[in-house]
Amino acid sequence: MHGAVDSQYVLDSQGYAYSLMKRRTRSWLRLTLLLLLVGGVYLVMRGFEQQFVYAPSAFIRKSPRQAKLSFDNIALVTDDGVTIQGWFVPAHAPEETSETNASPPTLLFFHGAVGNISDYIEKIHLLHDMGLDVFTVDYHGYGQSGGAPSESGLTSDALAAYFYLTEKRHAKPERVYLYGEDLGAAVAIDLATRVKAAGLITEGASASVIEKIEDAWPLIPWQFLLRNKFDSLTKIRDVHIPILIIHSADDEVVSLNDSRRLCALANEPKELVEIHGSHRDAFVHSFDLYYDKVSHFINDQPKSKTTDSVSSTQTAPPPSKEPVP
């Protein structure tokens, strides 16, 4: 009798243990599936973010040499150890002589989100023709540069380019102008909060990348997920050098209102110039106005406005890293 009871007890105990094990297994399975789902959604969002913000190309379609420009091919190592490529296009070829002994102003140009530096050769040529030394670099993951693009990576690229000019080319900060087009405007604005410069020019600037993504995919807490915010609306308040803001009223990619909002928050002296034409070629359609405004901004800038211009938070130069010609 006791043996039968004991056997039944053992069977009941085994059944209970088996049932408990099944429930725990189901719970772990649900948790695993939930984590896989969350991870999958996160990866999809990351992929969407990268495709939304960046459109790099590795193909160099045209070099300055093909555009009849003298240039130096420059390789820089950024503070995160990535090698990026750039072009330094002097105002005067080595065999040419300047009409004056004064060094020309230097323009540090940051290109847009699409393509690479070779897609902006016409802009570089035009800026060179204004009598400027022009330096431009490809960001992480663009052109022949290494790495993958990110906001922190582009910040590193900008700082490496700036300190190459001031430390290796001995360009004086009060003669260095920062110019950013499209995504490059956000890069230039950020750099202007970190270093000394003579002035800042933006063209076709977006007020905030995070705003654009939030508009495209609402109801998602992007502020906690995004690595690429490019919040120029916040940063431009900390820029304390003359600013020229250029934007096309016909821009089909970035609304003119973005530049109006940036201008409203920018410190004096500042100017908003409305031109006409598409996002990429407005400077051609409004050539005379564009040329006059940019040339005047750089060449006729009062020295009292630029020489003592200091940004709110200065960044010290990184340890010396020799450029590779």
Side-chain angles (χ1 to χ4, degrees):
M1 184 71 177
H2 288 291
V5 172
D6 290 342
S7 298
Q8 185 63 41
Y9 175 77
V10 170
L11 290 173
D12 290 344
S13 298
Q14 290 177 341
Y16 174 76
Y18 179 71
S19 176
L20 181 60
M21 184 177 66
K22 285 178 61 178
R23 287 200 296 270
R24 288 178 175 175
T25 301
R26 284 196 296 266
S27 297
W28 280 109
L29 182 60
R30 291 192 189 100
L31 179 59
T32 301
L33 291 174
L34 179 61
L35 291 174
L36 289 174
L37 178 61
V38 171
V41 171
Y42 179 78
L43 290 175
V44 169
M45 287 180 176
R46 278 278 182 249
F48 168 78
E49 177 189 356
Q50 288 295 107
Q51 293 178 15
F52 188 93
V53 179
Y54 309 108
S57 170
F59 176 67
I60 303 297
R61 68 178 185 87
K62 191 176 186 180
S63 73
R65 183 175 291 107
Q66 292 169 298
K68 310 301 182 185
L69 292 170
S70 175
F71 80 108
D72 293 330
N73 194 43
I74 305 298
L76 301 174
V77 179
T78 62
D79 58 11
D80 59 353
V82 172
T83 300
I84 61 172
Q85 301 291 327
W87 293 333
F88 182 84
V89 181
H92 307 285
E95 65 274 10
E96 296 178 352
T97 57
S98 173
E99 295 179 1
T100 67
N101 291 326
S103 299
T106 300
L107 188 138
L108 178 51
F109 177 74
F110 299 106
H111 65 71
V114 177
N116 57 55
I117 50 178
S118 70
D119 294 289
Y120 300 83
I121 194 69
E122 290 79 12
K123 178 71 64 64
I124 294 168
H125 203 313
L126 174 58
L127 295 168
H128 159 271
D129 290 347
M130 293 181 186
L132 309 174
D133 286 342
V134 181
F135 185 43
T136 185
V137 294
D138 260 330
Y139 312 127
H140 279 52
Y142 280 74
Q144 297 178 337
S145 295
S150 66
E151 184 170 7
S152 61
L154 269 61
T155 297
S156 297
D157 300 334
L159 288 169
Y162 175 85
F163 287 120
Y164 166 74
L165 290 175
T166 57
E167 300 294 317
K168 302 302 179 183
R169 292 278 177 177
H170 305 293
K172 296 180 179 179
E174 62 268 22
R175 299 282 284 168
V176 175
Y177 289 83
L178 312 178
Y179 188 129
E181 177 180 338
D182 184 67
L183 179 65
V187 178
I189 289 170
D190 177 74
L191 183 61
T193 69
R194 300 172 183 269
V195 301
K196 294 181 180 180
L200 168 67
I201 304 172
T202 69
E203 181 184 354
S206 175
S208 172
V209 167
I210 188 172
E211 278 192 2
K212 297 292 188 295
I213 294 180
E214 286 174 339
D215 290 342
W217 278 29
L219 306 179
I220 296 174
W222 287 109
Q223 66 271 25
F224 304 111
L225 299 174
L226 288 184
R227 292 181 298 176
N228 305 281
K229 298 180 180 180
F230 292 106
D231 187 7
S232 296
L233 277 177
T234 299
K235 293 179 180 179
I236 202 164
R237 305 167 193 257
D238 295 323
V239 175
H240 299 285
I241 54 177
I243 304 175
L244 176 63
I245 300 174
I246 303 171
H247 209 118
S248 173
D250 308 319
D251 195 319
E252 75 285 6
V253 177
V254 181
S255 169
L256 171 61
N257 190 52
D258 281 40
S259 282
R260 287 174 174 163
R261 294 169 66 197
L262 288 169
C263 188
L265 294 173
N267 297 296
E268 296 286 354
K270 60 186 176 182
E271 181 180 6
L272 173 62
V273 178
E274 295 184 20
I275 58 178
H276 291 278
S278 68
H279 183 70
R280 284 293 298 272
D281 63 6
F283 76 101
V284 176
H285 285 270
S286 300
F287 179 85
D288 291 340
L289 178 60
Y290 172 88
Y291 190 99
D292 289 346
K293 287 295 183 179
V294 173
S295 179
H296 174 78
F297 179 79
I298 293 175
N299 295 313
D300 299 329
Q301 197 65 245
K303 295 303 177 186
S304 61
K305 294 291 186 182
T306 61
T307 303
D308 299 326
S309 294
V310 180
S311 62
S312 57
T313 55
Q314 293 296 305
T315 299
S320 177
K321 293 177 180 177
E322 289 294 333
V324 180

